[in-house]
Amino acid sequence: GLGDVYKRQEFGCFDFIGKLESIEETNAFDNEAHSGYMLKIKLINNEEIADFFTIDMFVNKKNMRFTDDLEVGMKLTGMFQLLGEIAD
C-alpha cells in the first residue's frame, strides 16, 4: 500500500519506469564479484524534454532477472536507491 512507498523512500528507494538510453558491461570496484551493467536510463516523466531526468545507474547482474535481452530503447521498470548527501 501507500505506507510501503513512504517506508521505501525513507531509505532513498524509488520505483521507476524508464527508457534504456545506453548500456555498458562493467565491474564495480574493479572486482568481478560485482559484475554488472552501467545503464543510462531516462525516467519517463516528460517525453518532450530530452534530458528531463536521465540518470546513470549500476545494476549488479545478481540482481537482474534477465541480461541477454537488454536493448537500447526498451522500457524498464524497477527500483533504485539514491545514496549521498545534499550539496551546499
Side-chain angles (χ1 to χ4, degrees), residues 68-88:
D68 297 333
D69 299 327
L70 284 175
E71 295 180 12
V72 171
M74 71 187 310
K75 290 192 178 177
L76 303 173
T77 62
M79 183 183 300
F80 66 90
Q81 184 176 23
L82 293 175
L83 300 173
E85 57 189 53
I86 297 174
D88 292 330

Side-chain angles (χ1 to χ4, degrees), residues 47-88:
E47 292 282 339
E48 291 80 40
I49 301 173
D51 287 325
F52 181 72
F53 195 50
T54 301
I55 59 174
D56 294 323
M57 65 174 74
F58 175 79
V59 181
N60 193 307
K61 286 182 181 180
K62 295 175 188 175
N63 294 333
M64 297 179 70
R65 292 188 186 140
F66 64 91
T67 57
D68 297 333
D69 299 327
L70 284 175
E71 295 180 12
V72 171
M74 71 187 310
K75 290 192 178 177
L76 303 173
T77 62
M79 183 183 300
F80 66 90
Q81 184 176 23
L82 293 175
L83 300 173
E85 57 189 53
I86 297 174
D88 292 330

